[in-house]
Amino acid sequence: MPESVSTFPGERLGFPKTGPGSIARPGRRIGALAIDYFAATLIATAFFGYNQFALPTEAGASLWSPLIVFAVLQILFIPTVGGSPGHRILGMRLVMLGGGWVGLWRPIVRTALIVIVIPAVIWDADQRGLHDKAVGTVLIRS
């Protein structure tokens, strides 16, 4: 039997077309990523002396501090409040596809995949990135 063609992202998964519970669209996702990385850069600058204008040879270990802070924010906030600060500010939350708590390992694996970028920019018809498909989660509007 051929797979049915969906008319909107999330239809095949049982999510509504619009409003709360619908699949979060790319604009919100990119906005949340920008908020999270900006916050991580501010924290890295304040606490670790990160200088975004330093050359890589001058920056040393602090070169990686925004990325590390970004990862820590993701790993701490997703299981506790249902999404990163950027997700929550822009009205989204991360949920398990079948319901339930995302647990502790899923945010770690999901964040590791976001950090290596490629899985996060490859989406399926339901606008779920490979990082979400790998751990069985979906980003929805709250």
Side-chain angles (χ1 to χ4, degrees), residues 69-141:
V69 171
F70 173 83
V72 169
L73 288 174
Q74 297 287 314
I75 293 167
L76 289 178
F77 279 89
I78 288 173
T80 57
V81 297
S84 71
H87 291 152
R88 302 308 290 162
I89 289 169
L90 294 181
M92 298 179 288
R93 62 190 167 96
L94 189 75
V95 297
M96 290 293 300
L97 192 54
W101 183 51
V102 295
L104 298 174
W105 71 269
R106 286 180 184 88
I108 294 169
V109 172
R110 184 179 188 274
T111 301
L113 292 172
I114 289 172
V115 167
I116 62 173
V117 179
I118 300 300
V121 297
I122 299 173
W123 298 346
D124 66 5
D126 294 308
Q127 295 183 352
R128 288 177 65 215
L130 292 180
H131 61 297
D132 280 326
K133 290 183 72 121
V135 296
T137 57
V138 62
L139 193 59
I140 62 170
R141 293 180 60 192

Side-chain angles (χ1 to χ4, degrees), residues 9-30:
E11 182 179 25
R12 293 180 309 140
L13 303 174
F15 291 99
K17 183 175 184 175
T18 60
S22 64
I23 299 289
R25 300 303 195 262
R28 284 181 190 252
R29 292 169 181 261
I30 293 166

